[in-house]
């Protein structure tokens, strides 16, 4: 049987808000929308997916790599710590590699 390696890449960019010059001190990101998006991502995709991986590979796991952008890590840490904990739980398993990725990107 051939060896298999799975790689998962996660990224969530900052969401720009409608910008008006007189509001420049509020920043460029739509923080309320980002919180909603991260909550939905974490609760409907990330946590269930990490739980499924954990149950599926209890005894042995194929080689897996996870690449997570810095912007997503920051957003999870600030608004969805349970999502970040689910990632950390998988990352501590044998055969898991953390792959480098830029902090942020435009595409």
């Amino acid at each position: 049987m051939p060896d298999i390696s799975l790689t998962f890449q996660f990224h969530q960019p900052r969401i720009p808000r409608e910008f008006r010059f007189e509001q420049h001190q509020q920043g460029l990101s739509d923080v309320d929308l980002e919180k909603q998006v991260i909550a939905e991502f974490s609760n409907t995709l990330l946590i269930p997916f990490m739980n499924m991986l954990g149950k599926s590979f209890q005894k042995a796991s194929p080689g897996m790599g996870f690449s997570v952008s810095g912007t997503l890590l920051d957003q999870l840490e600030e608004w969805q710590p349970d999502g970040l904990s689910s990632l950390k739980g998988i990352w501590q398993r044998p055969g898991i590699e953390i792959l480098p990725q830029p902090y942020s990107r435009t595409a």
Side-chain angles (χ1 to χ4, degrees), residues 21-65:
F21 183 75
E22 58 273 4
Q23 299 171 328
H24 70 278
Q25 292 180 341
Q26 294 176 5
L28 298 176
S29 294
D30 188 336
V31 175
D32 293 332
L33 183 56
E34 285 181 7
K35 287 179 185 179
Q36 290 175 344
V37 168
I38 292 300
E40 185 173 337
F41 167 75
S42 181
N43 296 323
T44 62
L45 179 92
L46 184 64
I47 293 172
F49 182 61
M50 293 299 122
N51 290 338
M52 187 247 348
L53 284 178
K55 290 176 185 175
S56 298
F57 302 114
Q58 286 181 351
K59 296 186 181 188
S61 61
M64 284 192 266

Side-chain angles (χ1 to χ4, degrees), residues 4-105:
I4 185 169
S5 178
L6 304 172
T7 303
F8 302 96
Q9 182 178 28
F10 299 104
H11 172 64
Q12 174 57 46
R14 296 290 181 183
I15 300 172
R17 66 174 177 81
E18 184 178 320
F19 183 76
R20 297 202 169 140
F21 183 75
E22 58 273 4
Q23 299 171 328
H24 70 278
Q25 292 180 341
Q26 294 176 5
L28 298 176
S29 294
D30 188 336
V31 175
D32 293 332
L33 183 56
E34 285 181 7
K35 287 179 185 179
Q36 290 175 344
V37 168
I38 292 300
E40 185 173 337
F41 167 75
S42 181
N43 296 323
T44 62
L45 179 92
L46 184 64
I47 293 172
F49 182 61
M50 293 299 122
N51 290 338
M52 187 247 348
L53 284 178
K55 290 176 185 175
S56 298
F57 302 114
Q58 286 181 351
K59 296 186 181 188
S61 61
M64 284 192 266
F66 288 87
S67 178
V68 182
S69 70
T71 53
L72 179 58
L73 289 174
D74 284 349
Q75 292 166 339
L76 288 171
E77 181 179 46
E78 188 170 350
W79 301 315
Q80 291 292 317
D82 290 344
L84 186 57
S85 294
S86 71
L87 277 173
K88 289 179 179 178
I90 289 292
W91 291 346
Q92 295 172 356
R93 299 177 68 97
I96 304 297
E97 288 189 51
I98 308 301
L99 305 172
Q101 180 175 171
Y103 176 80
S104 183
R105 59 179 187 267

